Short mmCIF file of all heavy atoms in Angstrom, two decimals:
data_model
loop_
_atom_site.label_atom_id
_atom_site.label_comp_id
_atom_site.label_asym_id
_atom_site.label_seq_id
_atom_site.Cartn_x
_atom_site.Cartn_y
_atom_site.Cartn_z
N GLN A 41 0.83 -1.21 0.00
CA GLN A 41 0.00 0.00 0.00
C GLN A 41 0.87 1.26 0.00
O GLN A 41 0.55 2.24 -0.67
CB GLN A 41 -0.93 0.00 1.21
CG GLN A 41 -2.03 -1.05 1.09
CD GLN A 41 -2.92 -1.06 2.32
OE1 GLN A 41 -3.17 -0.03 2.92
NE2 GLN A 41 -3.39 -2.23 2.68
N TYR A 42 1.97 1.24 0.75
CA TYR A 42 2.89 2.38 0.74
C TYR A 42 3.46 2.58 -0.66
O TYR A 42 3.51 3.69 -1.17
CB TYR A 42 4.05 2.17 1.72
CG TYR A 42 3.67 2.26 3.17
CD1 TYR A 42 3.87 1.19 4.03
CD2 TYR A 42 3.12 3.43 3.69
CE1 TYR A 42 3.52 1.26 5.37
CE2 TYR A 42 2.77 3.52 5.03
CZ TYR A 42 2.97 2.43 5.87
OH TYR A 42 2.63 2.52 7.18
N LYS A 43 3.91 1.49 -1.27
CA LYS A 43 4.49 1.55 -2.61
C LYS A 43 3.46 2.11 -3.59
O LYS A 43 3.78 2.99 -4.40
CB LYS A 43 4.95 0.16 -3.05
CG LYS A 43 5.51 0.13 -4.46
CD LYS A 43 5.81 -1.30 -4.88
CE LYS A 43 6.15 -1.42 -6.32
NZ LYS A 43 5.15 -0.93 -7.24
N SER A 44 2.25 1.63 -3.51
CA SER A 44 1.19 2.09 -4.40
C SER A 44 0.92 3.58 -4.23
O SER A 44 0.76 4.31 -5.21
CB SER A 44 -0.08 1.28 -4.13
OG SER A 44 -1.12 1.75 -4.92
N THR A 45 0.91 4.04 -3.00
CA THR A 45 0.68 5.46 -2.73
C THR A 45 1.81 6.32 -3.29
O THR A 45 1.57 7.33 -3.94
CB THR A 45 0.55 5.70 -1.21
OG1 THR A 45 -0.57 4.94 -0.72
CG2 THR A 45 0.34 7.17 -0.89
N VAL A 46 3.04 5.91 -3.06
CA VAL A 46 4.19 6.65 -3.56
C VAL A 46 4.20 6.63 -5.08
O VAL A 46 4.42 7.67 -5.73
CB VAL A 46 5.51 6.08 -2.98
CG1 VAL A 46 6.71 6.68 -3.68
CG2 VAL A 46 5.58 6.34 -1.49
N ASP A 47 3.92 5.47 -5.69
CA ASP A 47 3.93 5.36 -7.15
C ASP A 47 2.87 6.25 -7.81
O ASP A 47 3.08 6.74 -8.91
CB ASP A 47 3.71 3.91 -7.58
CG ASP A 47 5.01 3.12 -7.65
OD1 ASP A 47 6.08 3.73 -7.74
OD2 ASP A 47 4.93 1.88 -7.62
N ARG A 48 1.76 6.46 -7.15
CA ARG A 48 0.72 7.32 -7.71
C ARG A 48 1.04 8.80 -7.53
O ARG A 48 0.49 9.64 -8.22
CB ARG A 48 -0.63 7.00 -7.07
CG ARG A 48 -1.28 5.74 -7.59
CD ARG A 48 -2.74 5.66 -7.18
NE ARG A 48 -2.93 5.68 -5.74
CZ ARG A 48 -3.06 4.59 -4.98
NH1 ARG A 48 -2.99 3.40 -5.52
NH2 ARG A 48 -3.24 4.70 -3.68
N SER A 49 1.92 9.12 -6.60
CA SER A 49 2.16 10.51 -6.24
C SER A 49 3.46 11.08 -6.77
O SER A 49 3.61 12.30 -6.86
CB SER A 49 2.17 10.64 -4.71
OG SER A 49 0.99 10.13 -4.16
N PHE A 50 4.43 10.24 -7.10
CA PHE A 50 5.77 10.69 -7.44
C PHE A 50 6.33 9.93 -8.64
O PHE A 50 5.82 8.89 -9.02
CB PHE A 50 6.72 10.50 -6.25
CG PHE A 50 6.31 11.27 -5.03
CD1 PHE A 50 5.63 10.64 -3.99
CD2 PHE A 50 6.59 12.62 -4.92
CE1 PHE A 50 5.24 11.34 -2.87
CE2 PHE A 50 6.21 13.33 -3.80
CZ PHE A 50 5.53 12.70 -2.76
N ILE A 51 7.43 10.45 -9.16
CA ILE A 51 8.22 9.78 -10.20
C ILE A 51 9.24 8.93 -9.44
O ILE A 51 10.05 9.48 -8.69
CB ILE A 51 8.90 10.82 -11.10
CG1 ILE A 51 7.85 11.72 -11.74
CG2 ILE A 51 9.79 10.14 -12.13
CD1 ILE A 51 8.39 13.06 -12.19
N VAL A 52 9.20 7.62 -9.64
CA VAL A 52 10.03 6.72 -8.84
C VAL A 52 10.83 5.78 -9.74
O VAL A 52 10.33 5.27 -10.73
CB VAL A 52 9.16 5.87 -7.89
CG1 VAL A 52 10.01 4.93 -7.03
CG2 VAL A 52 8.28 6.74 -7.00
N SER A 53 12.09 5.58 -9.33
CA SER A 53 12.90 4.54 -9.97
C SER A 53 13.85 3.96 -8.94
O SER A 53 14.14 4.58 -7.92
CB SER A 53 13.69 5.10 -11.17
OG SER A 53 14.59 6.08 -10.74
N LYS A 54 14.30 2.75 -9.22
CA LYS A 54 15.32 2.10 -8.41
C LYS A 54 16.42 1.64 -9.35
O LYS A 54 16.17 1.32 -10.50
CB LYS A 54 14.75 0.90 -7.66
CG LYS A 54 13.78 1.26 -6.57
CD LYS A 54 13.31 0.13 -5.68
CE LYS A 54 13.49 -1.27 -6.14
NZ LYS A 54 12.99 -2.28 -5.21
N THR A 55 17.65 1.64 -8.82
CA THR A 55 18.78 1.13 -9.59
C THR A 55 19.59 0.17 -8.73
O THR A 55 19.51 0.20 -7.51
CB THR A 55 19.72 2.25 -10.08
OG1 THR A 55 20.43 2.80 -8.96
CG2 THR A 55 18.97 3.34 -10.82
N ASP A 56 20.39 -0.62 -9.40
CA ASP A 56 21.34 -1.47 -8.68
C ASP A 56 22.52 -0.59 -8.24
O ASP A 56 22.55 0.61 -8.55
CB ASP A 56 21.76 -2.67 -9.53
CG ASP A 56 22.60 -2.32 -10.75
OD1 ASP A 56 23.10 -1.17 -10.86
OD2 ASP A 56 22.79 -3.20 -11.60
N PRO A 57 23.50 -1.14 -7.53
CA PRO A 57 24.62 -0.32 -7.04
C PRO A 57 25.44 0.35 -8.15
O PRO A 57 26.13 1.34 -7.90
CB PRO A 57 25.49 -1.32 -6.27
CG PRO A 57 24.55 -2.38 -5.84
CD PRO A 57 23.55 -2.50 -6.96
N GLU A 58 25.34 -0.15 -9.37
CA GLU A 58 26.08 0.43 -10.50
C GLU A 58 25.28 1.49 -11.23
O GLU A 58 25.74 2.06 -12.21
CB GLU A 58 26.52 -0.66 -11.47
CG GLU A 58 27.35 -1.75 -10.82
CD GLU A 58 28.54 -1.21 -10.05
OE1 GLU A 58 29.27 -0.37 -10.61
OE2 GLU A 58 28.73 -1.61 -8.89
N GLY A 59 24.04 1.73 -10.79
CA GLY A 59 23.21 2.75 -11.43
C GLY A 59 22.36 2.26 -12.58
O GLY A 59 21.79 3.05 -13.32
N VAL A 60 22.21 0.94 -12.72
CA VAL A 60 21.38 0.37 -13.78
C VAL A 60 19.94 0.29 -13.26
O VAL A 60 19.69 -0.24 -12.17
CB VAL A 60 21.89 -1.02 -14.21
CG1 VAL A 60 20.96 -1.68 -15.21
CG2 VAL A 60 23.31 -0.91 -14.77
N ILE A 61 19.01 0.81 -14.03
CA ILE A 61 17.61 0.87 -13.61
C ILE A 61 17.02 -0.53 -13.48
O ILE A 61 17.08 -1.33 -14.41
CB ILE A 61 16.78 1.71 -14.61
CG1 ILE A 61 17.33 3.14 -14.68
CG2 ILE A 61 15.30 1.72 -14.22
CD1 ILE A 61 16.76 3.99 -15.81
N THR A 62 16.44 -0.79 -12.31
CA THR A 62 15.78 -2.07 -12.04
C THR A 62 14.28 -1.91 -11.88
O THR A 62 13.54 -2.89 -11.90
CB THR A 62 16.35 -2.73 -10.78
OG1 THR A 62 16.17 -1.84 -9.66
CG2 THR A 62 17.83 -3.06 -10.95
N TYR A 63 13.83 -0.66 -11.68
CA TYR A 63 12.40 -0.38 -11.52
C TYR A 63 12.12 1.03 -12.00
O TYR A 63 12.89 1.96 -11.72
CB TYR A 63 11.99 -0.51 -10.04
CG TYR A 63 10.55 -0.09 -9.80
CD1 TYR A 63 9.51 -0.96 -10.10
CD2 TYR A 63 10.25 1.18 -9.32
CE1 TYR A 63 8.19 -0.57 -9.92
CE2 TYR A 63 8.93 1.56 -9.12
CZ TYR A 63 7.91 0.69 -9.42
OH TYR A 63 6.61 1.07 -9.24
N ALA A 64 11.05 1.20 -12.73
CA ALA A 64 10.58 2.52 -13.17
C ALA A 64 9.07 2.51 -13.10
O ALA A 64 8.43 1.62 -13.68
CB ALA A 64 11.05 2.80 -14.60
N ASN A 65 8.49 3.48 -12.38
CA ASN A 65 7.04 3.50 -12.27
C ASN A 65 6.42 4.19 -13.49
O ASN A 65 7.11 4.72 -14.36
CB ASN A 65 6.58 4.11 -10.95
CG ASN A 65 6.74 5.62 -10.87
OD1 ASN A 65 7.40 6.26 -11.69
ND2 ASN A 65 6.12 6.20 -9.86
N ASP A 66 5.09 4.17 -13.56
CA ASP A 66 4.37 4.75 -14.70
C ASP A 66 4.68 6.24 -14.86
O ASP A 66 4.78 6.73 -15.99
CB ASP A 66 2.87 4.56 -14.54
CG ASP A 66 2.44 3.10 -14.67
OD1 ASP A 66 3.21 2.30 -15.25
OD2 ASP A 66 1.33 2.77 -14.21
N GLU A 67 4.82 6.96 -13.75
CA GLU A 67 5.09 8.40 -13.82
C GLU A 67 6.45 8.68 -14.46
O GLU A 67 6.61 9.65 -15.20
CB GLU A 67 5.00 9.04 -12.44
CG GLU A 67 3.60 9.05 -11.86
CD GLU A 67 2.61 9.80 -12.74
OE1 GLU A 67 2.92 10.94 -13.17
OE2 GLU A 67 1.52 9.26 -13.00
N PHE A 68 7.44 7.84 -14.18
CA PHE A 68 8.76 7.99 -14.80
C PHE A 68 8.64 7.75 -16.31
O PHE A 68 9.20 8.49 -17.12
CB PHE A 68 9.77 7.05 -14.15
CG PHE A 68 11.19 7.22 -14.62
CD1 PHE A 68 11.66 8.42 -15.12
CD2 PHE A 68 12.08 6.17 -14.56
CE1 PHE A 68 12.99 8.57 -15.55
CE2 PHE A 68 13.39 6.29 -14.99
CZ PHE A 68 13.84 7.50 -15.49
N CYS A 69 7.91 6.72 -16.68
CA CYS A 69 7.71 6.44 -18.10
C CYS A 69 6.99 7.60 -18.78
O CYS A 69 7.37 8.01 -19.88
CB CYS A 69 6.92 5.14 -18.28
SG CYS A 69 7.79 3.67 -17.67
N LYS A 70 5.98 8.13 -18.11
CA LYS A 70 5.20 9.22 -18.70
C LYS A 70 6.04 10.47 -18.92
O LYS A 70 6.02 11.06 -20.00
CB LYS A 70 4.00 9.53 -17.80
CG LYS A 70 3.03 10.52 -18.41
CD LYS A 70 1.70 10.54 -17.68
CE LYS A 70 1.81 11.11 -16.30
NZ LYS A 70 0.51 11.30 -15.64
N ILE A 71 6.80 10.90 -17.91
CA ILE A 71 7.57 12.13 -18.05
C ILE A 71 8.74 11.98 -19.01
O ILE A 71 9.09 12.91 -19.73
CB ILE A 71 8.05 12.67 -16.68
CG1 ILE A 71 8.48 14.14 -16.84
CG2 ILE A 71 9.15 11.82 -16.10
CD1 ILE A 71 8.71 14.87 -15.54
N SER A 72 9.35 10.79 -19.06
CA SER A 72 10.53 10.60 -19.91
C SER A 72 10.17 10.25 -21.35
O SER A 72 10.99 10.45 -22.25
CB SER A 72 11.42 9.50 -19.34
OG SER A 72 10.81 8.23 -19.48
N GLY A 73 8.97 9.70 -21.55
CA GLY A 73 8.59 9.27 -22.89
C GLY A 73 9.11 7.89 -23.26
O GLY A 73 8.86 7.40 -24.36
N TYR A 74 9.82 7.25 -22.34
CA TYR A 74 10.34 5.90 -22.57
C TYR A 74 9.39 4.88 -21.97
O TYR A 74 8.77 5.12 -20.93
CB TYR A 74 11.71 5.72 -21.92
CG TYR A 74 12.82 6.46 -22.61
CD1 TYR A 74 13.24 7.70 -22.15
CD2 TYR A 74 13.47 5.92 -23.72
CE1 TYR A 74 14.27 8.39 -22.78
CE2 TYR A 74 14.50 6.59 -24.35
CZ TYR A 74 14.90 7.84 -23.87
OH TYR A 74 15.91 8.51 -24.49
N SER A 75 9.30 3.72 -22.58
CA SER A 75 8.53 2.62 -22.00
C SER A 75 9.35 2.00 -20.87
O SER A 75 10.57 2.19 -20.80
CB SER A 75 8.23 1.56 -23.07
OG SER A 75 9.42 0.88 -23.44
N ARG A 76 8.70 1.26 -20.04
CA ARG A 76 9.38 0.56 -18.95
C ARG A 76 10.45 -0.38 -19.52
O ARG A 76 11.55 -0.46 -19.00
CB ARG A 76 8.36 -0.22 -18.11
CG ARG A 76 8.92 -0.81 -16.85
CD ARG A 76 7.83 -1.35 -15.92
NE ARG A 76 7.20 -0.25 -15.19
CZ ARG A 76 5.99 0.24 -15.44
NH1 ARG A 76 5.24 -0.28 -16.39
NH2 ARG A 76 5.50 1.24 -14.73
N GLU A 77 10.13 -1.04 -20.63
CA GLU A 77 11.06 -1.96 -21.27
C GLU A 77 12.31 -1.24 -21.76
O GLU A 77 13.41 -1.80 -21.77
CB GLU A 77 10.39 -2.71 -22.42
CG GLU A 77 9.30 -3.67 -21.99
CD GLU A 77 7.99 -2.99 -21.57
OE1 GLU A 77 7.72 -1.83 -22.01
OE2 GLU A 77 7.26 -3.59 -20.79
N GLU A 78 12.16 0.02 -22.21
CA GLU A 78 13.31 0.79 -22.68
C GLU A 78 14.18 1.28 -21.53
O GLU A 78 15.36 1.54 -21.72
CB GLU A 78 12.83 2.00 -23.49
CG GLU A 78 12.21 1.65 -24.82
CD GLU A 78 11.63 2.85 -25.52
OE1 GLU A 78 10.72 3.50 -24.96
OE2 GLU A 78 12.09 3.16 -26.64
N LEU A 79 13.58 1.42 -20.33
CA LEU A 79 14.32 1.94 -19.18
C LEU A 79 15.02 0.85 -18.37
O LEU A 79 16.17 1.03 -17.97
CB LEU A 79 13.37 2.72 -18.26
CG LEU A 79 12.82 4.02 -18.84
CD1 LEU A 79 11.67 4.55 -17.98
CD2 LEU A 79 13.92 5.06 -18.97
N ILE A 80 14.33 -0.25 -18.12
CA ILE A 80 14.89 -1.32 -17.29
C ILE A 80 16.15 -1.88 -17.97
O ILE A 80 16.14 -2.20 -19.15
CB ILE A 80 13.87 -2.45 -17.05
CG1 ILE A 80 12.59 -1.91 -16.40
CG2 ILE A 80 14.49 -3.58 -16.22
CD1 ILE A 80 12.75 -1.33 -15.02
N GLY A 81 17.22 -1.96 -17.19
CA GLY A 81 18.48 -2.48 -17.71
C GLY A 81 19.39 -1.40 -18.27
O GLY A 81 20.52 -1.69 -18.67
N ARG A 82 18.91 -0.16 -18.31
CA ARG A 82 19.72 0.96 -18.80
C ARG A 82 20.13 1.83 -17.61
O ARG A 82 19.54 1.79 -16.55
CB ARG A 82 18.91 1.82 -19.78
CG ARG A 82 18.40 1.09 -21.01
CD ARG A 82 19.44 0.89 -22.09
NE ARG A 82 20.09 2.09 -22.54
CZ ARG A 82 19.71 2.84 -23.55
NH1 ARG A 82 18.64 2.52 -24.25
NH2 ARG A 82 20.41 3.91 -23.89
N ARG A 83 21.11 2.66 -17.83
CA ARG A 83 21.52 3.61 -16.80
C ARG A 83 20.65 4.85 -16.90
O ARG A 83 20.05 5.12 -17.93
CB ARG A 83 22.98 3.99 -17.00
CG ARG A 83 23.95 2.82 -16.77
CD ARG A 83 25.34 3.23 -17.11
NE ARG A 83 26.42 2.89 -16.26
CZ ARG A 83 26.50 2.83 -14.94
NH1 ARG A 83 25.48 3.09 -14.23
NH2 ARG A 83 27.59 2.50 -14.31
#
């Protein structure tokens, strides 16, 4: 529920220790214009 609330309210992403994206929420995809598939695995 916390995750869902944050995801609806903010632009959220997670990366591994090297800075590679492991999670991108819908808001990140919307503002960047990239799909989740284009973001995951990229820096």
Side-chain angles (χ1 to χ4, degrees):
Q41 290 178 34
Y42 288 121
K43 178 186 171 302
S44 177
T45 300
V46 170
D47 274 340
R48 283 194 301 265
S49 306
F50 300 99
I51 301 157
V52 181
S53 62
K54 291 187 343 180
T55 71
D56 68 13
E58 303 307 312
V60 175
I61 300 169
T62 59
Y63 174 79
N65 74 347
D66 291 341
E67 292 301 312
F68 186 27
C69 296
K70 187 165 68 173
I71 196 168
S72 70
Y74 288 97
S75 70
R76 189 169 281 106
E77 293 75 24
E78 291 174 300
L79 293 168
I80 303 296
R82 300 281 305 268
R83 294 174 136 323

